Amino acid sequence: MQRLRLSLLSQLAKQAHFVPAVSPLPGICQLAAPTLCAVTAVLPPTSSEARPVTNCISLRSFAAEPCRIEDPQSAAEALFKASDEHVPSLYQPATFPFFARAYYVGNSINLSQLTKRAHKLGYHTYVGKGMVLICAAANTKGKLAEDGTVTGLPLETYVAAYKYGSVVIFNGREREKEVLKLCQEFCTEPTKQNYTEEFPIIIQPDISAPNNLTPERIILRQLEFSNIRTLSHVLGQSVALDRYAEVAERMLSNFMHMNSTMKRRGDFKDVKKSKLLSLVAENNMILTDIIAKLGLQERFDIAWKSNQHNEVYEHLREELEIEERFSIVQTKLELVQDNLKYFLEIMQNNKSVLLEWLIIALISAEIALGVFEITTRV
């Protein structure tokens, strides 16, 4: 059966005119994602006019060298080699699945130094407000710019690094460790614990709508500049929120230990004021970072201007439960703040009592001196 299909396709290829998707050279089909090989065959004139039959087939998921089709038989074999298990349908849609993975690498990232290093490596970059977007491929033809929304971008490895410490990698695969290490070189106060977040993305050029959103994945018609910005914005916030949630949980655990100690002993002599003041500063910094650096309560300009990207933005925020998790972190921080006020008020009261006793002692000493002077004069 396979030999019969191969023979039939070979005969069609003899009458076909192969149109390259990108390359203008005759006989060359560019096999680079997300470009598709478009094969247009003009059937024998059985009716009043010829009917073109077009099929889009993806043979590779990564950029590759152009493949020269020297004869119709090799063209037919190339189409069947797209699958090792079965002969693919001529009308099988082309899909390009990959993961968008977010990492929290440190307290902050030096974006200017990272951009300079990327330029030395020959990568294309886009510098935005509090972030830098890098295409980690020196041979990419697409540049990162606002007009990428119209033309689409090649399926390469893209890295979005944020000043607050998050790194989002698109289509990393075997280069993921390499680009992650590059970003870690320019982060301050690197984290010992790994904070990660991921979401599956599928590029499917034949879908009618610009995107298809499901709880398990996001399907896009093409990889756009604005799509990368939107997805990385939400994933970066999500993974950073994980880190702040862990810090808030640790602070709350410390106060639970203090409360249990005070319940057992009846005092908190082991609690130092310097430690409480340190916790006050850390609590304030977390709340400030979440609101100011992450911008969880600020509008995202790309989603604000485009309904298409707003759907992706709101869908991903809902799937990752950004609002619910922020509310939980905020509740924990409020509990920590209440405990801090409680312990500091107790310390202040103890200090006031001590001062009162010192004042009483000084007054008593003054009275004793006065009585002593009177008795000596007599």
Side-chain angles (χ1 to χ4, degrees):
M1 187 63 181
Q2 180 176 352
R3 184 176 300 175
L4 179 60
R5 293 184 181 179
L6 191 62
S7 176
L8 177 60
L9 187 58
S10 176
Q11 293 176 5
L12 287 175
K14 291 179 181 179
Q15 304 174 9
H17 174 63
F18 284 83
V19 181
V22 175
S23 176
L25 299 178
I28 295 179
C29 293
Q30 182 73 22
L31 306 183
T35 308
L36 303 179
C37 298
V39 182
T40 304
V42 180
L43 296 180
T46 57
S47 59
S48 59
E49 60 180 4
R51 295 177 300 169
V53 179
T54 302
N55 176 36
C56 294
I57 298 178
S58 168
L59 299 183
R60 293 256 183 121
S61 61
F62 274 96
E65 296 296 328
C67 176
R68 182 177 297 276
I69 306 299
E70 297 181 354
D71 57 80
Q73 183 69 19
S74 61
E77 292 175 355
L79 293 177
F80 283 120
K81 286 180 180 178
S83 174
D84 296 333
E85 297 180 357
H86 62 280
V87 179
S89 170
L90 287 176
Y91 295 94
Q92 181 178 0
T95 59
F96 304 95
F98 60 88
F99 276 99
R101 286 192 178 92
Y103 299 87
Y104 188 84
V105 296
N107 188 44
S108 64
I109 298 177
N110 191 329
L111 298 181
S112 61
Q113 295 297 325
L114 177 59
T115 305
K116 291 179 181 178
R117 175 66 65 83
H119 287 165
K120 289 181 179 179
L121 296 174
Y123 298 157
H124 294 293
T125 61
Y126 168 84
V127 179
K129 182 181 178 182
M131 63 87 63
V132 60
L133 183 60
I134 303 171
C135 181
N139 61 344
T140 180
K141 296 180 180 179
K143 292 186 178 180
L144 305 180
E146 298 290 344
D147 57 0
T149 303
V150 179
T151 59
L153 295 171
L155 192 63
E156 298 284 358
T157 298
Y158 295 91
V159 183
Y162 290 86
K163 189 175 181 180
Y164 55 78
S166 292
V167 175
V168 185
I169 303 174
F170 293 83
N171 193 30
R173 306 203 182 192
E174 70 273 4
R175 304 197 63 184
E176 189 158 329
K177 292 182 179 180
E178 174 189 346
V179 294
L180 182 60
K181 184 178 180 181
L182 174 65
C183 296
Q184 288 174 335
E185 292 180 8
F186 302 99
C187 74
T188 59
E189 300 180 17
T191 58
K192 297 180 181 179
Q193 183 176 348
N194 293 328
Y195 300 94
T196 60
E197 188 78 70
E198 67 178 23
F199 206 86
I201 311 295
I202 296 177
I203 306 300
Q204 188 170 340
D206 64 339
I207 60 175
S208 57
N211 52 63
N212 184 6
L213 310 176
T214 65
E216 296 81 15
R217 64 187 65 87
I218 292 179
I219 303 176
L220 305 174
R221 183 189 296 167
Q222 64 176 351
L223 190 63
E224 300 175 354
F225 171 83
S226 296
N227 279 332
I228 294 177
R229 287 283 312 277
T230 302
L231 294 170
S232 63
H233 181 80
V234 180
L235 287 170
Q237 288 180 337
S238 179
V239 72
L241 196 58
D242 283 342
R243 186 257 177 181
Y244 290 124
E246 191 272 336
V247 175
E249 181 67 28
R250 175 175 53 82
M251 294 172 62
L252 194 58
S253 298
N254 289 337
F255 278 108
M256 290 176 63
H257 177 71
M258 292 179 188
N259 287 324
S260 62
T261 302
M262 187 171 63
K263 179 182 178 181
R264 185 175 63 255
R265 296 183 179 180
D267 57 32
F268 60 107
K269 294 181 180 179
D270 296 336
V271 179
K272 296 182 180 180
K273 187 177 181 180
S274 59
K275 183 178 180 180
L276 291 177
L277 294 176
S278 177
L279 291 173
V280 170
E282 190 173 10
N283 184 80
N284 294 336
M285 287 179 62
I286 291 175
L287 194 57
T288 303
D289 288 348
I290 292 176
I291 296 175
K293 290 185 178 181
L294 299 188
L296 287 180
Q297 296 180 333
E298 297 178 3
R299 73 177 188 180
F300 184 54
D301 290 339
I302 294 177
W304 182 266
K305 297 176 183 178
S306 171
N307 291 331
Q308 168 188 339
H309 299 102
N310 184 64
E311 290 178 1
V312 177
Y313 175 75
E314 294 295 341
H315 173 77
L316 192 56
R317 281 177 64 90
E318 183 178 353
E319 290 301 320
L320 298 178
E321 300 178 345
I322 297 294
E323 294 294 336
E324 293 80 357
R325 289 160 58 198
F326 172 65
S327 178
I328 293 173
V329 173
Q330 199 171 19
T331 302
K332 291 180 180 179
L333 292 177
E334 290 175 356
L335 289 173
V336 170
Q337 193 173 19
D338 291 340
N339 278 274
L340 283 169
K341 289 180 180 179
Y342 172 71
F343 279 98
L344 288 174
E345 285 177 359
I346 293 178
M347 278 191 168
Q348 186 65 30
N349 291 334
N350 291 342
K351 186 176 181 180
S352 299
V353 171
L354 179 62
L355 290 175
E356 289 175 359
W357 279 109
L358 288 175
I359 292 172
I360 292 172
L362 291 173
I363 294 175
S364 300
E366 186 177 359
I367 294 174
L369 288 174
V371 172
F372 177 75
E373 289 179 358
I374 293 172
T375 55
T376 53
R377 288 176 185 178
V378 173

